[in-house]
Amino acid sequence: MKVAIVAESFLPEMNGVTHSLLKILQFLASRGDEVLVIAPSTPEDAPGTVEGAAVHRLPAIPVTGYRTIRVAVGGVARVKALLADFGPDVVHLASPFVLGWRAVRAAKQLGIPTVAVYQTDVPGYAAKYGMPFLENWAWSRVERIHMAATKTLAPSSDSVNQLRGHGIPRVELWRRGVDLERFHPGKRSPAFRSRVAPGGERIIGYVGRLALEKQLEDLAALAGIPNTRLVIVGDGPRRQALQELLPEAHFTGFLGGEELAAAVASFDLFVHPGELETFCQTIQEAMASGVPVVATGRGGPVDLVDSSRTGWLYQPGDLAQLRGYVTDLTGDDAKRAAFGAAALAQVQGRTWEAVCSRLVGLYGEAMAENRLQATALKGNK
C-alpha cells in the first residue's frame, strides 16, 4: 500500500514519536510499501530518505525555550497538494496537533482515510508548564483532530479512557513494541557499573528527556538511601537545574544504540516519576533488560508495571511512598531479582514486528470504514 506519515517531530530529534516511527518505517519497507513522511524542517542537514521512505520537510520555527522542537508553519493547501500528488491509501497522523490538524483536514477534503496516533498529552504539558489557560484550548484541538480522523489509536488503557471521556469516538488500543534483542539482561556492563558507581552501590536509573514534564525534581526524595547511586541518562533543558538539585547523581548525557542498552541493563532498579506519560517506552526497555521498575501510578505505567510483581506503582505525588518502594527493592537482592525476572517474562512477545502487523491491520480497517462512509454518502445524494 501507499502510506503517508505526517509527523509533528522527526529526525534528527529523537523522542518517543520518532523512535516508533522508525520502527514502523522499517516494517513497511520490509513489506515493500511505498511511504512518504511529511515533517517539520530542521536547521541541521537531514536525510531526504529514511528507511526507504521519502521525507518532505515543511518550513518550521522553533518552540520558545525548546529549540530542538520545531513547529511546521503554513496552511492546509500545502499539505493537501502533497497528499494529492502522492495519492496514499491511508494517512498516518503521528502525535497530531499543529501539522496534524492541517493534515486531517486535507485528507478529509481528498477523501483519504486517516489513522491518528495519540502519543503526547499536550493539554497536560500546558498545565505543567504553567499555562493552564491553554489546557482547555489544547483539549479542544485534540478533540477536533481525533473526531475528524477515521480511527484513533491510543497506547494505554488510561489514554483510551481519557480520549473516550472527551467524547472522541472510534478509539482503539495500540501498544508499542520493544526490541528484545537490543534490550536484554545479557547487555549488563561491569565497566559501566564501575564507572558510575565505583563503590559498588546499587544503581537507581532513569532514562529520558530532562524536561519539566518528566517531574525529575521528585527524585530528590531518593537522596541518602544507603548504598545507592542515582544515574540519569538523557539530556534536555532541565539538565543544569537538575545537576544542582541532585548533586550526588551521575549524569551520563544522551546515550543511544548499544551504549544505551548496556546502561539500562546495568541498572539495579529503574525509576520514572512522570505523570504525563501516555505509554513510557523506557519502562518497557528496562523490563526487557530484566530490571524492575518503580513508577507513578498514573498514565501509561499503569498498564506496564504489575505492582508487587514486576515493580511498584506509587500514588502520584506521594514521594515518601516512592522512597519506600525504592528502598525496599534496593535493599533486598532476592526480591529485586524475582521482580526483574518477572518483568523480563512479561514483555516477551511484544516485538515491533507483531505491533506493526497489528498497525497495518488497523490501516486496512480504516480504509474499509472510509469506503463504507463514501458509499453511504453517495447513497444519500
Side-chain angles (χ1 to χ4, degrees):
M1 66 177 74
K2 295 179 76 172
V3 181
I5 296 177
V6 180
E8 297 289 337
S9 65
F10 194 55
L11 294 175
E13 174 71 6
M14 274 305 299
N15 52 38
V17 175
T18 303
H19 180 262
S20 62
L21 285 179
L22 292 175
K23 294 297 183 181
I24 293 166
L25 291 177
Q26 290 168 7
F27 183 79
L28 295 177
S30 74
R31 284 171 33 93
D33 296 320
E34 187 178 351
V35 183
L36 170 68
V37 177
I38 301 173
S41 65
T42 67
E44 304 96 343
D45 289 335
T49 304
V50 175
E51 301 292 350
V55 181
H56 186 97
R57 301 281 182 174
L58 293 174
I61 56 175
V63 173
T64 302
Y66 226 145
R67 64 177 184 80
T68 58
I69 297 181
R70 297 173 65 82
V71 177
V73 296
V76 174
R78 188 162 192 171
V79 180
K80 183 178 178 181
L82 288 170
L83 294 178
D85 183 60
F86 181 62
D89 297 300
V90 64
V91 177
H92 175 128
L93 306 172
S95 196
F97 194 73
V98 178
L99 180 55
W101 173 227
R102 296 181 205 130
V104 75
R105 288 180 288 165
K108 203 168 189 68
Q109 290 172 20
L110 293 167
I112 304 169
T114 49
V115 174
V117 182
Y118 180 73
Q119 285 180 260
T120 307
D121 184 0
V122 176
Y125 280 24
K128 182 67 69 177
Y129 277 84
M131 297 179 287
F133 55 92
L134 290 179
E135 188 174 5
N136 288 339
W137 172 84
W139 264 120
S140 176
R141 169 63 61 86
V142 169
E143 290 165 4
R144 292 170 75 185
I145 290 171
H146 290 279
M147 285 180 176
T150 311
K151 189 181 289 291
T152 286
L153 309 183
S156 64
S157 56
D158 182 83
S159 296
V160 169
N161 293 335
Q162 188 180 38
L163 293 172
R164 287 176 177 168
H166 279 265
I168 296 170
R170 304 179 298 279
V171 181
E172 294 196 37
L173 181 66
W174 180 65
R175 302 189 191 279
R176 303 293 178 269
V178 62
D179 189 336
L180 296 173
E181 292 184 5
R182 180 181 170 203
F183 293 96
H184 188 273
K187 301 294 180 70
R188 193 173 178 89
S189 168
F192 178 87
R193 290 182 60 84
S194 63
R195 185 167 68 251
V196 304
E201 299 91 344
R202 300 287 178 259
I203 298 175
I204 305 164
Y206 164 86
V207 176
R209 284 197 324 278
L210 309 188
L212 188 64
E213 70 272 11
K214 301 298 183 179
Q215 294 178 231
L216 297 176
E217 290 79 2
D218 290 354
L219 297 182
L222 306 181
I225 296 177
N227 194 36
T228 64
R229 185 75 190 274
L230 179 62
V231 175
I232 295 178
V233 177
D235 211 342
R238 296 287 296 166
R239 179 169 178 173
Q240 184 175 345
L242 288 167
Q243 286 177 319
E244 293 172 1
L245 179 68
L246 307 168
E248 300 303 316
H250 179 91
F251 288 77
T252 69
F254 176 82
L255 297 179
E258 287 302 308
E259 274 191 309
L260 176 61
V264 175
S266 300
F267 295 161
D268 293 297
L269 178 66
F270 185 87
V271 293
H272 201 295
E275 297 177 16
L276 297 178
E277 298 298 309
T278 58
F279 185 72
C280 200
Q281 179 67 8
T282 54
I283 285 180
Q284 273 205 145
E285 292 167 352
M287 294 173 71
S289 303
V291 178
V293 176
V294 175
T296 184
R298 178 175 290 166
V302 175
D303 283 0
L304 298 174
V305 180
D306 186 353
S307 202
S308 82
R309 196 178 73 87
T310 64
W312 291 112
L313 294 171
Y314 66 93
Q315 288 293 320
D318 190 342
L319 302 187
Q321 191 177 47
L322 164 63
R323 183 183 176 91
Y325 283 150
V326 169
T327 301
D328 171 61
L329 286 175
T330 54
D332 189 331
D333 292 349
K335 180 185 285 188
R336 194 172 64 253
F339 277 32
L344 176 61
Q346 186 167 302
V347 298
Q348 299 307 303
R350 295 184 189 175
T351 64
W352 275 107
E353 183 176 6
V355 166
C356 290
S357 293
R358 168 69 174 146
L359 177 63
V360 169
L362 291 165
Y363 286 166
E365 290 178 18
M367 291 158 62
E369 289 169 19
N370 193 62
R371 286 192 294 269
L372 284 173
Q373 291 171 9
T375 301
L377 283 173
K378 286 180 182 178
N380 290 332
K381 288 182 179 178

